[in-house]
């Protein structure tokens, strides 16, 4: 073979004339002849084997050339042949390569066969992949056409063939075919041919799908072979970076590939190369669009999850990105650090270097909890959650990270808040401290152990010997300085100076008795750092004691001799001193005891530290609970779901105050958001309805215990919410139901010992079960009556009340039932027990009787036949018992109707009436009156409708088929007529009920009427009837009587408002507000003139009254019962109320009001007028706070423009500087738009003369600052001009400022008028100004007046006086007739029929 095959860069290069001995394609076969040539190719493969490619290469090349015009069958045949050739080469080559007799010709032949077959196969694969990709885009998924199905089949076939191609290439290239090349140097073009094919396949968008996993694995292994055997390492790392930039979906594929190459193929350097390439990317480059930063980030995160230990050597390259601008890269690096900390740098077996790296990485993560980008903060919190869940967080960092997580609960980002909640839940679930976290429980043990530790330390300090520093150590410290002093002393030039400087102490020194005493003195000088004195004394000592051994060496005085002598003296004196110390009796202490004491001390220190950490952790948890509990009512669904999940986790770990969160989330079962409701239901099911236990009985007891614990001390609202969840449990068909009901009955009846609270919880739970199955309670009415309503009923009215609530669950008012009403006869045992308990309780002073009485009367009206007769007898019996009680202390008054007289005949008799009992009787009267009206309008009315419906149905059946023809003939007319008949029938029923209420309920022969004068008397005489409970009951009962008819309401409306304004009892005022709210709904025309009196209670001095007032008014306004007027300013004042709960109610009012069209916009001018009134005296800070909230609801440009004009015009009528400042501040709070700014300029004349005031100038200046942000150049110029005018007028005054702009404009227009120093006044503004100057009455210019003016006609102010003990005229306490507001605007009401339907 005389030629060589060179892999071309471009396919078309093979037909061109090449170099010497270079293969060139001789014959490009036409497309029509290719099938026959492929048949010859196939025959050659059978006969010659893989070497046939040398002869038939041109056929394969022709397929590539005509690829787009060939049929699918020809392409498949060619692919099949080429795969077979490569497979045969992979089989035949091993024997040839190992053969010793391998000639150069054979090597060239095999090499050409390998290169030709691989080239053709790779190029054909690339072409088929391109066609497959195009088909995938063109063929719309889900189309049912035949063409689509055919394309889909072809595509599916290629998916399976692609894997065969790659496997064939892997088998061939795994062989050591490098020996086929000279010097085993494989040409770069051959490697590129294969790698380009692999990378082309990776470009497929579906390569990362699960169905393509086999193909993906084959490509990864093929590239792995090329990297290890064919030196493709550098090319692969560059290609990975390039493809990540352009194909984001490849991040997970390349992460898997790099991990396989580094582990299975041992090429760890690939990780370093790729990470180095990413690390060298500048932040500016990564910030550009299309930089692939998302793919890089995802790649790093996934790679760290696969091979975290191999990331550590290269982590320093990545950490530089933490300082860059790309938040995506910061997230990736933090996730890499998290994976390393979780899977590598964890546990106690780390060396010093590992611990240092771990601490450094944790410090980095903690820093980025405060990252500027919210996404980074959220992801770092998630990383910490994974670390905590994996128990990889060191104990010493728990408190610090916990503190940071609690701080992130206040984050502005919702994702960060959610991640913080998840992290805190993980902390609690995996805390290393205690299963029950309570700071209160930990306080005493901590104090006890701390005191014990203090005692142990004190004992050890007493035993510890005094530390003695060795003389040699002191000498070594002082030697350098002493040597300098010796040399200076011995210098001759310093002698005169020394004489002057010396303090004379040594000169006057007298010789000691012996040399030893002198030596001690020298040593003392050295100890107190008097080196010069010590040296001089030492020199003199030699003359004093020439025979002394200590000073013998000083016969020749040199620095060395002097230092030796001083050293000997100092160390020797210390040894002598130590001898003295040794003569003292030693402290008796054994080494073993000392070690034992030290060990105990360390244990105690560890215990105290553990308790401190536990207490700190529990305090942080409790702080987090209080914050997260408030998040349960956020508007963001996902945050609420996380908060619910956190409450569940906290409760499962018995953290202190965890029940508060569980109870607080209970009302969310009524949420309109299905996701929130489902989260709460699932939470309660997990906490309470999936009990643990070995038997069904134990599970049932656990379930009842947990539910009972939740219901103990729960409010009525909590119990109502719990009903929804428990009802779902009883309706779910659980196998626990019957056992749970059995356990509840056992507790209630006392078969199993239970506290009173548990009994009450049991009976309420039975009532919830009865909502699903009436027989649970109905079949056991006798048991309920005997246990809770029998002889011992007066001992526990709360149990009786809860029992009555349970029995109510079987009534039609709770359960929707078809057919006739379900009622029990009057002589039923239940009603006998109830009436007896209520009547006996009237003359008792039990604080819980009233709540029982209210439920009992309600049940009688819900369940009894002719309840009015029963309640009439009940009233008679109760009144008789009260009269009997009065008779015990005086004259008996036997007639029930004489109670009123008995209460006023004489003061002597009055003193004998028990005020509490009288209050209870009046409360019973009011309750009966209220439920009597409710019974008529609900039960009786519903029964009348039902009977009428049955009658009509029966009549239709009796008419028979004969009348149908006439009905069809006049169909339209009949429908209309029937509609009128139905309407008139309903109106007749409603009129009947109204007539009964008006004429019969308070007729003279009706027992209710006997108590009305007494109620009026008690309410109108607060001086005489001053008992709080009596006053409260009487006022409430009177308001319930007023619900009966309009006439009763009109007669007593003045009295009830008098009570509202003048009563000294907050509870009376609060009750009156609630009652007046109900009366406003029932009789709106009667109550409309008194609206301002209701609003007045918003400024009540007692928070509970203000709270009640704002709640009632919110309901009335939002349900359109009350017209929204200027009095809403009183609600606005509550936005700054000191009570947070009242503030939130006021905020909720305006949030709801803002949903109504233009409601707040229409009210704003009047609100500003009222709040700015000098007589109100509101501070500017409070005014700004209120206005900031109200102006946040103004979002439309047209509304802003209109408000700008209105507020500017009000500058004219504002009288004080404070009002000017308030107006200017209001303007600055508006979200000013371009149109609004133009209006502000037009109204320059209105406020320009006030600009000298800083309080006016500064807010207007702030408007220009806001508008300048993002303004267009032309608009910005207008803003700058306006700002210059503002500043000029503010600094120099309006009179001294001329407007050059106006002058230029007027000159350009050719105006002959004299230039004015002030901006011309708009026509509308001038007219309003003139009118405002002549007349300041509100009636003259409506919204345009700023100050609320005084009324022009003086009318008498209502003077409301209460009677006192000194005054005889009791009726003076009520407003006079002339003081009663008159109806001005009747309120239209829906028809009686419509209300009855509702």
């Amino acid at each position: 073979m005389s030629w060589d095959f060179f892999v071309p860069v471009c396919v078309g290069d093979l037909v061109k004339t090449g170099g010497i001995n270079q293969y060139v394609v001789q014959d490009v076969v036409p497309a029509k002849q290719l099938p026959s040539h492929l048949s010859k190719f196939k025959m050659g493969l059978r006969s010659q084997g893989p070497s046939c490619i040398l002869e038939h290469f041109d056929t394969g090349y022709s397929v590539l050339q005509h690829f787009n015009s060939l049929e699918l069958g020809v392409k498949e045949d060619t692919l099949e042949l080429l795969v077979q050739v490569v497979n045969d080469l992979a089989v035949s080559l091993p024997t040839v390569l190992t053969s010793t007799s391998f000639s150069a010709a054979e090597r060239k032949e095999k090499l050409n066969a390998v290169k030709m077959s691989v080239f053709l196969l790779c190029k054909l694969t690339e072409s088929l992949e391109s066609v497959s990709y195009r088909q995938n885009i063109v063929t719309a998924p889900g189309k049912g056409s035949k063409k689509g199905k055919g394309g889909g089949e072809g595509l599916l076939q290629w998916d399976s063939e692609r894997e065969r191609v790659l496997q064939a290439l892997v088998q061939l290239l795994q062989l050591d075919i490098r020996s086929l090349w000279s010097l085993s140097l494989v040409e770069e073009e051959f490697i590129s041919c294969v790698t380009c094919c692999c990378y082309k396949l990776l470009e497929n968008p579906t390569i990362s799908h699960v169905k393509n996993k086999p193909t993906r694995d084959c490509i990864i292994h093929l590239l792995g072979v090329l990297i290890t055997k064919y030196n493709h390492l550098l090319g692969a790392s560059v290609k990975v970076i390039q493809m990540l930039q352009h194909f984001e979906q490849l991040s997970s594929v390349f992460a898997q590939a790099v991990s396989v190459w580094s582990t299975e193929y041992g090429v760890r350097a690939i990780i370093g190369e790729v990470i180095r390439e990413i690390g060298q990317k500048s932040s500016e480059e990564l910030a550009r669009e299309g930089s692939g930063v998302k793919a890089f980030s995802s790649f790093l995160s996934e790679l760290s999850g696969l091979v975290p230990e191999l990331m550590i050597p290269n982590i320093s390259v990545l950490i530089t990105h933490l300082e860059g601008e790309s938040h995506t890269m910061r997230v990736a690096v933090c996730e890499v650090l998290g994976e390393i900390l979780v899977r590598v740098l964890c546990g106690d077996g780390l060396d010093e270097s590992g611990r240092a790296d771990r601490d450094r990485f944790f410090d980095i993560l903690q820093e980025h909890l405060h990252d500027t980008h919210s996404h980074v903060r959220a992801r770092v919190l998630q990383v910490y959650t994974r670390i905590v869940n994996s128990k990889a967080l060191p104990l010493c960092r728990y408190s610090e990270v916990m503190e940071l997580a609690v701080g992130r609960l206040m984050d502005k980002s919702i994702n960060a808040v959610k991640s913080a909640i998840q992290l805190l839940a993980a902390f609690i679930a995996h805390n290393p401290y205690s299963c029950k976290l309570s700071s209160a429980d930990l306080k005493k043990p901590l104090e006890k152990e701390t005191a014990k530790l203090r005692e142990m330390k004190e004992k050890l300090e007493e035993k510890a010997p005094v530390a003695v520093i060795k003389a040699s150590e002191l000498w070594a410290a002082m030697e350098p300085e002493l040597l300098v002093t010796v040399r200076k002393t011995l210098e001759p030039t310093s002698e005169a100076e020394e004489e002057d400087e010396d303090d004379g102490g040594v000169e006057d020194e007298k010789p000691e008795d012996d040399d030893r005493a002198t030596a001690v003195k020298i040593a003392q000088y050295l100890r107190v750092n008097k080196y010069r004195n010590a040296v001089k004394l030492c020199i003199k000592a030699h003359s004093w004691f020439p025979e002394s051994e200590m000073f013998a060496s000083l016969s020749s005085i040199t620095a060395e001799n002097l230092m030796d002598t001083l050293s000997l003296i100092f160390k020797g004196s210390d040894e002598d001193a130590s001898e003295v110390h040794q003569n003292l009796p030693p402290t008796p202490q054994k080494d073993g005891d000392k070690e034992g004491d030290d060990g105990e001390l360390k244990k105690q220190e560890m215990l105290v530290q553990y308790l401190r950490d536990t207490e700190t952790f529990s305090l942080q948890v409790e702080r987090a609970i209080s914050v997260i509990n408030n998040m349960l009512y956020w508007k963001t669904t996902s945050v609420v779901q996380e908060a619910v999940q956190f409450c569940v986790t906290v409760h499962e770990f018995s953290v202190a105050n965890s029940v508060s969160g569980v109870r607080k989330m209970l009302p969310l079962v009524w949420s309109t958001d299905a996701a929130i409701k489902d989260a709460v239901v699932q939470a309660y099911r997990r906490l309470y309805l999936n009990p643990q236990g070995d038997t069904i009985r134990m599970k049932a007891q656990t379930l009842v215990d947990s539910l009972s614990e939740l219901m103990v001390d729960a409010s009525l609202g909590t119990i109502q919410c719990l009903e929804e969840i428990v009802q779902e449990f009883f309706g779910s068909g659980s196998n626990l139901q019957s056992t749970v009901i059995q356990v509840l009955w056992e507790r209630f009846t006392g078969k199993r010992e239970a506290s009173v609270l548990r009994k009450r919880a049991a009976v309420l739970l039975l009532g919830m079960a009865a909502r699903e199955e009436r027989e649970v309670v109905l079949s056991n009415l006798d048991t309920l009556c005997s246990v809770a309503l029998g002889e011992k009923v007066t001992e526990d009215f709360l149990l009786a009340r809860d029992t009555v609530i349970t029995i109510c669950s079987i009534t039609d008012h709770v359960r929707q039932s078809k057919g006739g009403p379900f009622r029990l006869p009057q002589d039923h045992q239940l009603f006998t027990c109830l009436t007896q308990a209520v009547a006996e309780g009237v003359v008792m002073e039990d604080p819980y009787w009233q709540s029982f009485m209210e439920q009992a009367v309600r049940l009688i009206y819900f369940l009894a036949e002719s309840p009015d007769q029963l309640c009439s007898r009940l009233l008679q019996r109760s009144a008789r018992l009260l009269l009997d009680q009065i008779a015990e202390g005086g004259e008996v008054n036997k007639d029930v109707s004489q109670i009123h007289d008995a209460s006023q005949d004489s003061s002597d008799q009055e003193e004998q009436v028990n005020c509490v009992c009288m209050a209870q009787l009046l409360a019973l009267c009011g309750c009966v009156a209220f439920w009597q009206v409710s019974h008529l309008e609900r039960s009786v009315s519903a029964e009348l409708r039902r009977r009428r419906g049955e009658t009509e149905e029966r009549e239709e059946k009796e008419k028979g088929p004969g009348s149908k023809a006439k009905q069809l003939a006049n169909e339209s007319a009949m429908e209309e007529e029937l509609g009128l008949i139905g309407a008139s029938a309903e109106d007749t029923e409603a009129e009947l009920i109204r007539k009964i209420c008006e004429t019969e309920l308070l007729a003279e022969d009706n027992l209710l009427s006997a108590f009305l004068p007494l109620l009026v008397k008690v309410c109108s005489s607060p001086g005489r009837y001053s008992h709080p409970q009596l006053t409260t009951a009487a006022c409430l009962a009177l308001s319930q009587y007023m619900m009966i008819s309009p006439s009763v309401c009109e007669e007593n409306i003045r009295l009830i408002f008098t009570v509202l304004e003048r009563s000294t009892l907050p509870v009376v005022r609060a009750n009156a507000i609630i009652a007046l709210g109900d009366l406003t709904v029932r009789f709106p025309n009667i109550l409309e003139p008194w609206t301002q009196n209701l609003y007045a209670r918003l400024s009540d001095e007692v928070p509970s009254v203000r709270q009640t007032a704002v709640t009632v008014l919110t309901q009335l306004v939002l349900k359109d019962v009350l017209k929204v007027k200027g009095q809403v300013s009183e609600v606005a004042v509550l936005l700054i109320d000191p009570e947070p709960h009242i503030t939130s109610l006021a905020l909720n009012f305006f949030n709801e009001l803002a949903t109504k069209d233009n409601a707040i916009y229409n009210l704003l001018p009047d609100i500003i007028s009222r709040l700015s009134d000098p007589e109100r005296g509101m501070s500017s800070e409070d005014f700004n706070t209120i206005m900031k909230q109200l102006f946040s609801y103004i979002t439309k440009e047209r509304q802003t423009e209109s408000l700008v004009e209105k507020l500017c015009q009000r500058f004219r009528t504002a009288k004080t500087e404070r009002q000017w400042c308030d107006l200017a501040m209001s303007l600055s709070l508006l979200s000013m738009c371009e149109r609004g700014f133009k209006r502000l300029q037009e109204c320059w004349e209105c406020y320009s003369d006030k600009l000298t005031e800083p309080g006016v100038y500064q807010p207007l200046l702030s408007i220009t600052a806001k508008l300048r942000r993002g303004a267009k150049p032309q608009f910005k110029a207008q803003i700058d001009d306006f700002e210059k005018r503002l500043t000029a007028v503010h600094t120099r005054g309006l009179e001294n400022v001329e407007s050059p702009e106006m002058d230029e404009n007027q000159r350009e227009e050719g105006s002959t008028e004299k230039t004015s120093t002030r901006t011309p006044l708009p026509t509308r503004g001038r007219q309003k100004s003139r009118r405002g100057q002549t007349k300041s009455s509100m009636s003259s210019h409506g919204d345009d007046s700023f100050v609320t003016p005084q009324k022009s006609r003086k009318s008498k102010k209502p003077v409301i006086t209460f009677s006192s003990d000194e005054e005889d005229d009791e009726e003076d306490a009520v407003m006079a007739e002339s003081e009663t507001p008159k109806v001005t605007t009747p309120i239209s009401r829906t028809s009686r029929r419509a209300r009855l339907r509702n």
Side-chain angles (χ1 to χ4, degrees), residues 421-451:
I421 296 173
Q422 291 168 355
L423 175 55
L424 290 168
F427 266 122
I428 293 167
H430 299 91
N431 83 84
Y433 298 112
S434 170
C435 61
K436 291 189 177 182
L437 296 166
S438 171
S439 58
D441 296 342
L442 288 165
K443 195 170 184 180
K444 288 184 179 178
L446 177 60
E447 290 175 354
K448 179 182 174 184
E449 298 301 330
T450 306

Side-chain angles (χ1 to χ4, degrees), residues 900 903-904 910 922 1011-1025 1034 1038 1052 1055 1363 1368-1371 1373-1374:
H900 171 58
S903 65
Q904 63 179 1
E910 182 181 280
L922 296 182
F1011 295 93
L1012 183 56
L1014 178 59
L1015 290 173
V1016 173
K1017 191 70 171 175
V1018 174
C1019 291
S1020 59
S1021 308
R1024 178 171 295 175
Y1025 303 102
L1038 179 60
N1052 297 286
L1055 174 58
S1363 66
D1368 296 325
D1369 188 5
E1370 299 294 335
E1371 295 301 326
V1374 187

Side-chain angles (χ1 to χ4, degrees), residues 1165 1168-1169 1172 1183-1184 1187 1191 1203-1204 1206-1230 1247 1250 1255-1256 1259-1260 1263 1346:
I1168 293 171
S1169 293
S1172 292
F1183 179 84
N1184 294 348
M1187 287 300 113
F1191 278 117
L1203 277 173
V1204 168
K1206 286 184 177 182
L1207 292 174
C1208 287
Q1209 295 297 340
R1210 286 174 183 255
F1211 273 102
R1212 297 182 177 282
T1213 53
K1215 304 298 182 187
T1216 63
E1217 294 173 2
R1218 168 62 197 284
Q1219 289 175 326
W1220 302 343
C1221 297
D1222 286 347
L1223 282 170
M1225 182 55 65
S1226 299
L1227 282 169
S1228 70
L1229 292 172
L1230 279 168
Y1247 54 83
K1250 279 78 171 184
V1256 178
L1260 293 177
I1263 294 175
F1346 181 73

Side-chain angles (χ1 to χ4, degrees), residues 971-1264:
E971 189 173 354
S972 59
M974 286 297 289
E975 281 181 3
E976 187 178 351
E977 188 180 346
L978 282 171
L980 288 171
I981 291 169
S984 63
E986 287 191 8
D987 285 340
T988 304
E989 292 160 6
E991 185 62 28
L992 173 64
I993 301 297
R994 190 195 65 77
K995 189 175 180 182
I996 292 171
C997 290
E998 184 71 39
T999 59
E1000 295 184 22
L1001 287 188
L1002 292 177
E1004 291 184 5
D1005 56 343
N1006 194 312
L1007 193 59
L1008 284 174
S1009 63
F1011 295 93
L1012 183 56
L1014 178 59
L1015 290 173
V1016 173
K1017 191 70 171 175
V1018 174
C1019 291
S1020 59
S1021 308
R1024 178 171 295 175
Y1025 303 102
S1026 58
H1027 191 277
Q1029 189 173 341
L1030 179 59
T1031 307
T1032 305
C1035 292
L1036 192 56
L1038 179 60
S1039 63
Q1040 289 170 326
Y1041 265 76
M1042 290 166 67
M1043 296 287 286
I1044 294 175
S1045 69
S1047 59
V1048 181
C1049 183
E1050 286 180 343
E1051 289 170 7
N1052 297 286
I1053 190 70
R1054 286 186 297 116
L1055 174 58
I1056 206 75
F1057 271 104
T1058 305
V1059 171
L1060 174 65
E1061 293 183 5
R1062 295 300 180 86
S1063 176
T1064 57
L1065 299 173
V1067 66
V1068 172
R1069 299 201 297 275
N1071 283 349
I1073 291 168
I1074 297 170
L1076 287 166
D1078 293 339
L1079 286 168
T1080 304
V1081 175
R1082 188 164 173 78
F1083 306 121
N1085 287 337
I1086 298 174
L1087 271 293
E1088 196 272 339
W1090 298 88
T1091 304
Q1092 61 180 0
N1093 299 74
L1094 275 177
Y1095 277 103
R1097 288 303 97 208
L1098 291 170
S1099 54
D1100 196 282
E1101 58 187 11
V1102 180
S1104 61
V1105 180
R1106 293 200 301 275
Q1107 180 181 331
T1108 306
V1110 72
T1111 305
V1112 170
L1113 286 168
T1114 299
Q1115 294 298 318
L1116 294 176
V1117 169
L1118 297 180
K1119 291 181 178 178
D1120 295 324
V1121 179
L1122 276 184
K1123 287 186 178 180
V1124 187
K1125 294 183 180 177
Q1127 295 101 332
V1128 175
S1129 60
E1130 300 300 330
V1131 184
V1133 174
L1134 295 183
L1135 289 170
I1136 54 167
D1137 196 274
E1139 296 292 327
H1141 188 59
I1142 296 176
T1143 305
S1144 65
L1145 287 173
L1147 186 62
N1148 178 63
F1149 171 82
F1150 284 106
N1151 287 339
E1152 295 295 330
L1153 191 61
T1155 59
K1156 298 178 179 289
D1157 290 339
N1158 300 332
I1160 293 181
Y1161 162 74
N1162 293 331
L1163 291 166
L1164 263 174
D1166 207 2
I1167 291 176
I1168 293 171
S1169 293
R1170 290 170 181 262
L1171 296 184
S1172 292
D1173 192 341
E1175 293 182 5
R1176 180 178 283 276
M1178 178 177 285
S1179 68
S1180 57
E1181 291 80 8
D1182 291 344
F1183 179 84
N1184 294 348
T1185 304
I1186 294 170
M1187 287 300 113
K1188 190 173 183 180
Q1189 180 60 42
L1190 295 182
F1191 278 117
S1192 67
Y1193 301 113
I1194 305 300
T1195 54
K1196 297 177 183 176
E1197 283 192 14
R1198 192 172 293 175
Q1199 290 180 348
T1200 303
E1201 182 186 2
S1202 176
L1203 277 173
V1204 168
E1205 183 177 1
K1206 286 184 177 182
L1207 292 174
C1208 287
Q1209 295 297 340
R1210 286 174 183 255
F1211 273 102
R1212 297 182 177 282
T1213 53
K1215 304 298 182 187
T1216 63
E1217 294 173 2
R1218 168 62 197 284
Q1219 289 175 326
W1220 302 343
C1221 297
D1222 286 347
L1223 282 170
M1225 182 55 65
S1226 299
L1227 282 169
S1228 70
L1229 292 172
L1230 279 168
S1231 54
M1232 194 72 72
C1233 54
E1234 191 169 344
R1235 287 166 57 181
F1237 177 67
K1238 286 179 180 177
R1239 188 67 68 189
L1240 185 65
Q1241 286 179 304
E1242 291 172 8
C1243 297
W1244 168 264
E1245 189 70 19
C1246 299
Y1247 54 83
S1248 56
D1249 56 336
K1250 279 78 171 184
L1251 285 172
T1252 50
E1253 288 294 326
V1256 178
Y1257 168 70
Q1258 290 296 340
L1260 293 177
L1261 198 64
S1262 69
I1263 294 175
T1264 61

Side-chain angles (χ1 to χ4, degrees), residues 526-655:
L526 289 173
R527 282 187 180 277
V528 296
N529 298 335
K530 290 185 177 181
Y531 301 146
R532 184 173 295 169
N533 290 354
V535 171
K536 283 188 171 291
L537 186 59
C538 190
I539 293 170
K540 287 188 176 184
H542 175 63
S543 60
W544 291 342
F545 310 104
E547 297 178 359
S548 172
E549 292 180 3
M550 284 187 192
F551 305 107
S553 61
L554 293 177
S555 55
S556 61
I557 299 175
T558 62
E560 290 77 10
N561 292 342
L562 205 53
M563 286 296 291
D564 290 342
T565 304
L566 289 169
S567 172
L568 177 66
I569 291 169
F570 186 77
K571 291 179 182 178
S573 67
D574 195 74
E575 286 168 10
D576 294 340
S578 65
E579 285 174 10
V580 176
H581 281 294
Q582 287 170 5
N583 293 333
L584 297 172
T587 306
Q589 186 178 15
K590 295 180 180 178
D591 292 342
D593 292 347
K594 186 178 179 183
E595 289 175 6
D597 289 344
D598 289 343
E600 289 296 322
L601 182 66
K602 286 180 181 178
K603 286 181 182 178
Q604 189 65 22
E605 285 176 344
M606 290 171 66
L607 175 60
V608 169
Q609 188 60 46
Y610 171 79
L611 288 172
R612 278 180 186 153
D613 291 343
T614 309
E615 186 190 35
T616 304
F617 184 79
S618 62
L619 286 169
Q620 289 169 337
V621 169
E622 287 167 16
R623 181 181 156 210
I625 289 172
S626 64
V627 175
I628 294 173
N629 283 354
N630 293 328
M631 293 180 182
L632 288 167
Y633 291 90
W634 278 23
K635 292 182 180 178
T636 311
T637 302
S638 54
V639 172
V640 176
Q641 288 174 309
E642 289 296 341
V644 167
Q645 191 60 40
F646 177 82
C647 290
V648 172
T649 304
V650 166
H651 189 267
E652 286 178 338
F653 282 86
S654 305
V655 179

Side-chain angles (χ1 to χ4, degrees), residues 500-543:
D500 297 335
E501 291 175 6
D502 197 37
D503 54 6
V506 180
E507 296 295 335
D508 302 335
E509 195 89 44
K510 293 180 180 179
E512 296 289 340
D513 295 341
D514 57 0
D515 58 347
R516 189 176 181 83
T518 306
V520 170
K521 195 154 191 176
I522 292 170
Q524 287 174 351
Y525 278 138
L526 289 173
R527 282 187 180 277
V528 296
N529 298 335
K530 290 185 177 181
Y531 301 146
R532 184 173 295 169
N533 290 354
V535 171
K536 283 188 171 291
L537 186 59
C538 190
I539 293 170
K540 287 188 176 184
H542 175 63
S543 60

